[in-house]
């Protein structure tokens, strides 16, 4: 097995071009597990830990450009304001040691349906983009087009994830996760939710309940219509039990889970409906308080 250790981003891209089957590693929180259990035996390892720009982030006031290797611990401590949903998801990742090593780039590269960052990224809106680069150039992949199958993404063989572009939150966001214990656990299922009052939309993200992370599109459209038709964005009035219940049922219907060692398909659907109702209620209560305090 070849071990490649570039010092710069250009060197990393050149190495990936020369060894397109090389497996990138930064935090190593997923890769090392697969190597230790002999699940994956790549021809080469591409160590990105010396590429410091991958651990940097910027915020221009409207979009956060999050380096692929910014650790979850820093997302929690430095970005809970502009990226509250992702920060909440980061809280649930592994242990303190893993949160200090792992980053969103690894979650995206692995493209596991159970990755904790995915529901939050989907819920953050359709203007989330994965910045992929190669020696041929750079492109921005819409988050909705990034996941193409079980643990498969839309990266080309010579591309590396450089950053993720995420809109700064303009409304409350939430993340909820069900596991077989309280910590150090792979999600049985997970759900991300966000209100986007500036453009009158809502965002959802379903994790660990389909072949890929996905949105609950019908649930989003239903809630968007209710909020617009009833003038609730302006009034901040209560949604009502019927709306919350219907939203949960539509989220449940959007999933296509399986039975496995962590949970049954029926349990996952039930749990998603519960999490959808709760996260919507939490977010809307926060939004209503904001409206009342501004009045």
């Amino acid at each position: 097995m070849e071990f490649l250790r570039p010092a710069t981003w250009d060197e990393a891209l050149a190495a990936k071009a020369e060894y397109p089957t090389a497996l990138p590693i930064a935090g190593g929180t997923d890769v090392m597990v697969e190597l230790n259990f002999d699940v994956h035996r790549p021809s080469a390892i591409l160590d990105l830990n010396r590429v410091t720009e991958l651990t940097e982030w910027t915020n221009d006031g409207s979009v956060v450009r999050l380096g692929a290797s910014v650790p979850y611990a820093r997302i929690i401590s430095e970005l809970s304001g502009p990226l509250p949903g992702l920060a909440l998801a980061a809280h649930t990742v592994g242990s303190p040691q893993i949160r200090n090593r792992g980053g969103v780039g690894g979650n995206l590269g692995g493209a596991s349906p159970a990755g904790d960052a995915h529901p939050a990224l989907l819920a953050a809106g359709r203007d989330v983009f994965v910045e992929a680069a190669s020696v041929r150039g750079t492109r921005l992949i819409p988050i909705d087009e990034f996941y193409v199958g079980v643990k498969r993404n839309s990266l080309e063989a010579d591309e590396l994830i450089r950053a993720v572009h995420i809109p700064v939150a303009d409304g409350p966001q939430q993340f909820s996760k069900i596991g077989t214990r309280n910590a150090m656990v792979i999600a049985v299922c997970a759900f991300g939710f966000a209100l986007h009052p500036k453009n009158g939309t809502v965002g959802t993200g379903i994790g660990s309940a389909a072949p890929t992370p996905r949105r609950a599109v019908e649930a989003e459209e239903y809630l968007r219509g209710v909020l617009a038709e009833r003038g609730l964005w302006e009034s901040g009035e209560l949604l009502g039990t019927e709306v919350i219940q219907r939203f949960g049922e539509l989220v449940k219907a959007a999933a296509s889970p399986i039975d496995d060692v962590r949970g049954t398909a029926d349990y996952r659907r039930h749990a998603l409906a519960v999490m959808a109702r709760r996260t919507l209620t939490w977010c809307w209560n926060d939004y209503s308080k904001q409206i009342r305090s501004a009045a």
Side-chain angles (χ1 to χ4, degrees):
M1 182 187 297
E2 296 282 345
F3 185 77
L4 314 171
R5 198 160 186 254
T8 67
W9 180 244
D10 287 341
E11 289 180 8
L13 294 182
K16 186 61 171 165
E18 184 176 355
Y19 298 88
T21 60
L23 181 63
I25 183 171
T29 57
D30 289 328
V31 171
M32 291 309 300
V33 173
E34 293 191 348
L35 292 179
N36 288 338
F37 284 93
D38 207 24
V39 174
H40 195 185
R41 190 60 56 181
S43 61
I45 293 289
L46 179 58
D47 180 4
L48 299 174
N49 280 290
R50 292 204 296 169
V51 184
T52 57
E53 71 177 78
L54 295 178
T55 63
E56 299 170 355
W57 62 267
T58 59
N59 181 0
D60 66 5
S62 60
V63 174
V64 172
R65 182 181 179 275
L66 180 69
S69 296
V70 175
Y72 290 113
R74 286 182 54 205
I75 294 173
I76 295 168
S77 63
E78 300 171 19
L79 291 167
S80 60
L83 304 179
L86 186 60
L88 287 170
H91 271 285
T92 74
V93 175
S95 63
Q97 295 91 333
I98 290 174
R99 291 193 290 273
N100 275 293
R101 291 291 298 172
V104 172
N107 245 195
L108 288 166
S112 167
D116 293 317
H118 306 314
L121 292 176
L122 287 167
R126 297 183 184 275
D127 290 330
V128 175
F129 296 93
V130 179
E131 182 180 334
S134 70
V135 293
R136 297 175 288 109
T138 300
R139 65 182 179 126
L140 296 179
I141 307 171
I143 193 67
D144 291 280
E145 300 174 13
F146 187 77
Y147 311 108
V148 297
V150 179
K151 295 189 176 182
R152 292 172 48 231
N153 58 50
S154 57
L155 291 175
E156 299 292 341
D158 63 343
E159 287 184 318
L160 294 171
I161 298 171
R162 189 174 191 176
V164 189
H165 298 240
I166 311 167
V168 171
D170 63 315
Q173 300 183 356
Q174 277 289 341
F175 175 83
S176 189
K177 172 180 172 180
I178 297 289
T180 53
R181 59 184 185 227
N182 288 333
M184 292 286 289
V185 66
I186 299 172
V188 173
C189 57
F191 185 71
F193 180 76
L195 293 171
H196 303 297
K198 283 187 178 178
N199 60 14
T201 64
V202 302
T204 61
I206 293 173
S208 204
T212 66
R214 63 169 59 166
R215 299 180 187 278
V217 177
E218 288 189 24
E220 291 180 1
E221 290 302 308
Y222 165 74
L223 188 57
R224 182 192 62 78
V226 169
L227 296 177
E229 290 167 11
R230 300 185 185 178
L232 295 176
W233 288 116
E234 294 76 23
S235 69
E237 293 180 0
L238 295 177
L239 295 174
T241 303
E242 181 182 343
V243 172
I244 295 171
Q245 189 73 24
R246 178 61 177 159
F247 178 75
E249 290 302 309
L250 289 172
V251 169
K252 173 182 175 180
S256 56
I258 60 172
D259 296 328
D260 64 14
V261 295
R262 285 179 283 124
T264 66
D266 285 344
Y267 177 74
R268 286 182 162 98
R269 291 190 184 93
H270 168 76
L272 280 169
V274 173
M275 290 191 291
R277 295 195 299 266
R278 288 178 178 175
T279 54
L280 169 56
T281 300
W282 296 335
C283 283
W284 191 255
N285 286 345
D286 288 344
Y287 180 73
S288 294
K289 291 176 184 177
Q290 293 174 14
I291 293 296
R292 289 196 296 270
S293 63

